[in-house]
Amino acid sequence: MKIVSTLRLPEQCMQLLKGNQIIEGDLSEVSDADVLMGWPNELSSIVRSSSKLKAIQTFSAGVEALDFRAVPESVKVFSNAGAYAVPVAEHAWALVLALAKRVGRKDRGESYVVTGKTLLVLGAGGIGSEVARIGKAAFSMITIGISRSFKRPEFFDERYPYTEVDNHLGRADVIVNALPLTRQTEGFLNWERLSKVKEKSIIVNVGRGETVERDALVRLLMERPTVRFGTDVFWRKDGEENFQDPLWEAENFTGTPHTAGGYANREVLEHAKLAACENVRRFVETGRAENEVRREDYLT
Amino acid sequence: MKIVSTLRLPEQCMQLLKGNQIIEGDLSEVSDADVLMGWPNELSSIVRSSSKLKAIQTFSAGVEALDFRAVPESVKVFSNAGAYAVPVAEHAWALVLALAKRVGRKDRGESYVVTGKTLLVLGAGGIGSEVARIGKAAFSMITIGISRSFKRPEFFDERYPYTEVDNHLGRADVIVNALPLTRQTEGFLNWERLSKVKEKSIIVNVGRGETVERDALVRLLMERPTVRFGTDVFWRKDGEENFQDPLWEAENFTGTPHTAGGYANREVLEHAKLAACENVRRFVETGRAENEVRREDYLT
């Protein structure tokens, strides 16, 4: 098959995909490509030029930036879900613990303890499962998962579908949101749900900004100063994530500008490219692969 | 025995120490006390008034603020080492991960990953052992301990005495300093040692400020911008920890104002008082207890 990647691929990928024609970085070659590899936003603009296309493999875990209207139904789309599970789960814990301990603040305020407490994870794919694993292994937490499917069910003491989230939000001391942005998850944490959280709870978002209703969150942080919120992902404004959110001024807020996926970290990117190549190999050899995206989750 | 505590004790302590005379908060009773319980700085001023005194039990883990010249040689001193291991180890990880992920900074910079890397722990008592346990369990790290004694040797892949620290500082991606302040540890991390650390290493201090030479650290952070340093403990100025250190301005610095021991957290304080009571019970029943302090480590 002819595989066109928008980025250079590590040497190990070449070994994995031996026997195929691999083009790196030369987009003049896309017209007869069988497989395209790239970031979702790049792919949106080139996918229409590929008439023979069979599959798309993204380097990113999230695919909501892919323009699904441009992708023919015959083309399979594979995300790179799980490839960033380790760095993003570390990042989620960095935000949780930084909020618990008020890291970076010169004034003294209450230090929260997480050991032995209850952890609620929204979205139990690769990232959410790794977050739960750390909660158990490092801090002996009771772990509750809210998810459509569970990648590693063994890391969750309790497992529930999305529809039951309302019964469990009020039980959690720590809530980690690792939801992808789909039609079902947009605005998932609305006022009705956010208003249920405990005093002194910590909420962290490493999913997508729009899974949380911003106005409801602002109200929560203003009205309930003991609740602390941290996020790596922000709400889009004119199509771009707006990292200059006024929330930064709040005492009970901390954040990072979408760097959880190993920003500027070569090691993480190489690992993610390799995971993408492994999945492309599966597709080339068997016609099937991991992380196939359901179009109906995204098409509106 | 007559036990005088400067603070109120939890109900469970009363049960533990049943059969003894327990005085809480009334310092007019210290003259014929057998055991004094309190914070080191409080005890320094009242210990001379107790003529029958057999033992001192501190609520704090560190005892360097106790004036040992005021304590007769016949009086045993017991610290509360280990009582804060869980909150302080969580705090150490909060600082490590916040530095790795640059939590709280709006600008983007390299995200470091800790999983699979090498962790060096200075001081392997209750806190250092718990830090190592988390490094292993949560992040599959290789753990190296530098210590006089090891409370939980099983959490360390390699164990060395203080004298061998120079051979191992350059191997670590993450260094956590949990050293108490004694005659041996003052200025332990001097320029000669700090200059050995790796590029992109993370150094965290949850021991005592003075175990790190401030000038050497400032030089390190200026000359080596990829090295990141976080601390909960600061250098004393006129006898008080100076939390307003100019280091806060540095890009590769973060901190907390000595809040690791569960600042303003009732749960942590109650737990620490209970641990102190359990140790006093050991002393009352057997004449011996845990965490006996060696005077020669402190007397100058």
Side-chain angles (χ1 to χ4, degrees):
Chain A
M1 289 205 191
K2 181 170 177 176
I3 301 164
V4 178
S5 167
T6 61
L7 293 185
R8 276 199 66 112
L9 298 173
E11 191 45 44
Q12 255 183 292
C13 276
M14 301 303 168
Q15 295 297 320
L16 275 172
L17 297 170
K18 214 161 38 187
N20 298 283
Q21 187 190 356
I22 301 168
I23 311 286
E24 299 162 286
D26 184 353
L27 299 186
S28 68
E29 298 271 3
V30 301
S31 63
D32 61 343
D34 297 293
V35 179
L36 282 181
M37 301 176 74
W39 302 104
N41 53 343
E42 298 172 331
L43 295 171
S44 295
S45 55
I46 58 177
V47 64
R48 284 184 214 267
S49 332
S50 308
S51 54
K52 291 177 54 194
L53 198 62
K54 295 182 181 65
I56 284 173
Q57 169 68 54
T58 64
F59 293 128
S60 63
V63 296
E64 81 285 351
L66 184 65
D67 180 3
F68 281 88
R69 290 163 307 184
V71 183
E73 274 194 50
S74 59
V75 174
K76 294 189 177 192
V77 177
F78 301 103
S79 81
N80 210 2
Y84 302 86
V86 164
V88 178
E90 284 186 6
H91 201 103
W93 279 105
L95 289 166
V96 169
L97 292 173
L99 289 166
K101 313 303 181 180
R102 301 177 88 251
V103 172
R105 299 195 182 268
K106 276 191 221 179
D107 62 312
R108 287 175 138 187
E110 186 174 339
S111 177
Y112 297 174
V113 170
V114 301
T115 297
K117 302 291 172 70
T118 298
L119 169 68
L120 182 81
V121 178
L122 305 175
I127 292 165
S129 296
E130 179 67 3
V131 167
R133 185 193 66 76
I134 293 172
K136 275 220 147 310
F139 307 118
S140 311
M141 296 180 89
I142 297 158
T143 53
I144 307 173
I146 305 286
S147 199
R148 199 161 63 172
S149 62
F150 286 82
K151 194 149 189 170
R152 301 290 298 270
E154 69 270 30
F155 298 140
F156 294 91
D157 296 313
E158 302 176 29
R159 296 177 291 277
Y160 306 101
Y162 287 170
T163 48
E164 290 183 34
V165 66
D166 299 271
N167 303 325
H168 305 288
L169 280 164
R171 300 171 53 200
D173 301 287
V174 175
I175 298 170
V176 174
N177 174 3
L179 292 170
L181 182 59
T182 68
R183 289 200 285 185
Q184 293 86 52
T185 64
E186 193 167 352
F188 190 79
L189 289 181
N190 54 21
W191 175 250
E192 197 199 329
R193 287 177 174 154
L194 285 174
S195 60
K196 290 189 163 73
V197 304
K198 264 196 204 179
E199 280 305 287
K200 301 191 188 178
S201 57
I202 291 172
I203 311 170
V204 158
N205 190 2
V206 290
R208 283 295 179 264
E210 288 80 6
T211 62
V212 180
E213 269 190 15
R214 190 178 174 286
D215 290 350
L217 178 73
V218 169
R219 179 175 166 196
L220 179 74
L221 296 183
M222 297 262 288
E223 292 184 5
R224 310 257 312 268
T226 73
V227 175
R228 300 178 185 173
F229 179 83
T231 192
D232 182 53
V233 290
F234 287 79
W235 298 266
R236 272 170 293 193
K237 210 172 152 178
D238 308 322
E240 295 275 316
E241 251 180 299
N242 174 30
F243 300 132
Q244 302 310 315
D245 196 291
L247 269 171
W248 284 95
E249 302 306 318
E251 273 275 321
N252 46 353
F253 175 89
T254 197
T256 43
H258 208 145
T259 54
Y263 183 80
N265 187 310
R266 228 183 96 85
E267 219 177 321
V268 172
L269 183 58
E270 294 298 285
H271 173 82
K273 286 178 179 173
L274 200 57
C277 291
E278 280 165 357
N279 212 33
V280 168
R281 179 161 91 157
R282 271 181 215 112
F283 177 74
V284 166
E285 289 183 356
T286 70
R288 287 196 291 185
E290 305 283 323
N291 303 319
E292 185 168 352
V293 171
R294 305 190 212 183
R295 299 169 62 88
E296 63 273 25
D297 286 346
Y298 296 91
L299 273 174
T300 45
Chain B
M1 289 205 190
K2 181 170 178 178
I3 301 164
V4 178
S5 167
T6 61
L7 294 186
R8 275 199 66 111
L9 299 173
E11 191 45 44
Q12 254 183 294
C13 277
M14 301 304 169
Q15 295 297 321
L16 274 172
L17 296 170
K18 213 161 40 186
N20 298 283
Q21 187 190 359
I22 302 168
I23 311 285
E24 300 163 285
D26 184 353
L27 299 187
S28 67
E29 297 272 2
V30 300
S31 63
D32 61 343
D34 296 293
V35 179
L36 282 180
M37 301 177 74
W39 302 103
N41 54 343
E42 298 172 332
L43 295 171
S44 296
S45 55
I46 58 177
V47 63
R48 283 185 216 266
S49 330
S50 309
S51 55
K52 289 178 54 195
L53 198 63
K54 294 183 181 65
I56 284 174
Q57 170 69 53
T58 65
F59 292 127
S60 64
V63 295
E64 82 284 351
L66 183 64
D67 180 3
F68 281 87
R69 290 164 306 184
V71 183
E73 275 195 51
S74 59
V75 174
K76 294 189 176 191
V77 177
F78 301 102
S79 81
N80 210 2
Y84 302 86
V86 163
V88 178
E90 285 187 6
H91 201 103
W93 279 105
L95 289 166
V96 169
L97 293 172
L99 288 166
K101 312 302 182 181
R102 301 176 88 251
V103 172
R105 297 193 183 269
K106 276 190 220 179
D107 62 312
R108 286 175 139 186
E110 187 174 340
S111 176
Y112 297 175
V113 170
V114 301
T115 296
K117 301 291 173 69
T118 298
L119 168 68
L120 182 80
V121 178
L122 305 175
I127 293 165
S129 296
E130 179 66 5
V131 167
R133 184 192 67 76
I134 293 172
K136 275 221 147 308
F139 307 118
S140 310
M141 296 180 89
I142 297 158
T143 53
I144 308 172
I146 306 285
S147 199
R148 199 161 65 172
S149 62
F150 285 82
K151 194 149 188 171
R152 301 290 299 269
E154 69 272 29
F155 298 140
F156 294 91
D157 296 312
E158 302 176 29
R159 296 177 291 276
Y160 305 101
Y162 287 171
T163 48
E164 289 182 35
V165 67
D166 298 87
N167 303 326
H168 305 288
L169 281 164
R171 300 171 54 199
D173 300 288
V174 176
I175 298 170
V176 174
N177 174 3
L179 292 170
L181 182 59
T182 67
R183 289 200 285 185
Q184 293 87 52
T185 64
E186 192 166 354
F188 190 79
L189 289 181
N190 54 22
W191 175 250
E192 197 199 329
R193 287 178 174 155
L194 285 174
S195 60
K196 290 189 163 74
V197 304
K198 265 196 202 177
E199 280 304 288
K200 301 191 188 178
S201 57
I202 292 172
I203 311 170
V204 158
N205 191 3
V206 290
R208 283 295 180 264
E210 289 79 6
T211 62
V212 180
E213 269 190 15
R214 191 178 174 285
D215 290 351
L217 178 73
V218 170
R219 180 175 164 195
L220 179 75
L221 296 182
M222 297 263 289
E223 293 183 4
R224 311 260 309 271
T226 74
V227 174
R228 300 178 185 173
F229 180 83
T231 192
D232 182 53
V233 289
F234 287 79
W235 297 265
R236 271 170 295 192
K237 211 171 150 177
D238 308 324
E240 294 275 317
E241 252 179 300
N242 174 29
F243 300 132
Q244 302 309 316
D245 196 291
L247 269 171
W248 283 94
E249 302 307 318
E251 273 275 319
N252 46 353
F253 174 89
T254 198
T256 42
H258 209 146
T259 54
Y263 183 80
N265 187 310
R266 227 183 98 86
E267 219 177 322
V268 172
L269 182 58
E270 295 298 285
H271 173 81
K273 285 178 181 173
L274 200 57
C277 291
E278 280 165 357
N279 212 33
V280 167
R281 178 160 92 156
R282 272 181 214 111
F283 177 74
V284 166
E285 289 182 356
T286 70
R288 288 195 292 185
E290 305 284 322
N291 302 318
E292 184 167 354
V293 171
R294 307 190 211 182
R295 298 169 63 88
E296 63 273 25
D297 286 347
Y298 296 91
L299 272 174
T300 46

